[in-house]
Amino acid sequence: MIDNTDIPDELVGSYKRVSRRIPVDLKKDEALNRTIIAYLKLGGERLARQAVEAAKQTFELELAQRKKKAREEALIRAAEARLAAKDEEANGEDDDDYDDDEHDDDDMKDY
């Protein structure tokens, strides 16, 4: 997080009020903090709050996209595992065509 020495004295109170609205995951985002300070200088507290709201929405969208991608990847891995199991099962059935009993009788004739 930005040191209080980076914030002009006249903006410290406003910065503290606005920074309370920042989600915990974004508190250490230096770019967001610098943006808030710039907006406080240019447009005041109201503009800085809008920047925080925009950052929150962007963060929530990115989080939702990451969760969606993780779910999709999990589904793909599960489908691949099912296909692999099905392939193994199909390969296992081919081995059953070799009947041990028939060949054991042939071996017994040699004795």
Side-chain angles (χ1 to χ4, degrees):
M1 188 169 199
I2 290 186
D3 296 329
N4 286 338
T5 56
D6 296 339
I7 304 169
D9 291 336
E10 66 273 5
L11 299 177
V12 172
S14 296
Y15 178 80
K16 286 183 180 180
R17 283 190 295 276
V18 171
S19 68
R20 284 188 224 134
R21 298 173 180 264
I22 301 173
V24 174
D25 297 330
L26 295 176
K27 288 247 187 228
K28 293 183 180 181
D29 186 357
E30 291 292 323
L32 177 62
N33 286 311
R34 276 188 251 117
T35 301
I36 291 171
I37 292 171
Y39 283 10
L40 284 170
K41 288 178 184 175
L42 296 173
E45 209 170 310
R46 189 173 190 185
L47 184 61
R49 283 189 193 137
Q50 288 176 351
V52 170
E53 287 302 314
K56 274 189 205 179
Q57 289 175 354
T58 302
F59 177 73
E60 290 169 0
L61 287 172
E62 289 172 353
L63 185 63
Q65 287 175 344
R66 282 185 290 203
K67 286 181 180 180
K68 181 180 177 184
K69 186 175 180 179
R71 274 192 307 257
E72 288 173 351
E73 289 173 354
L75 288 172
I76 290 170
R77 284 192 302 272
E80 288 173 346
R82 280 194 301 267
L83 285 173
K86 196 173 188 180
D87 287 345
E88 285 181 16
E89 185 178 302
N91 290 338
E93 289 175 4
D94 291 343
D95 293 342
D96 289 342
D97 291 340
Y98 182 80
D99 193 7
D100 291 334
D101 293 335
E102 292 176 13
H103 296 287
D104 286 341
D105 293 337
D106 294 337
D107 291 338
M108 295 300 275
K109 290 179 186 175
D110 293 336
Y111 288 109

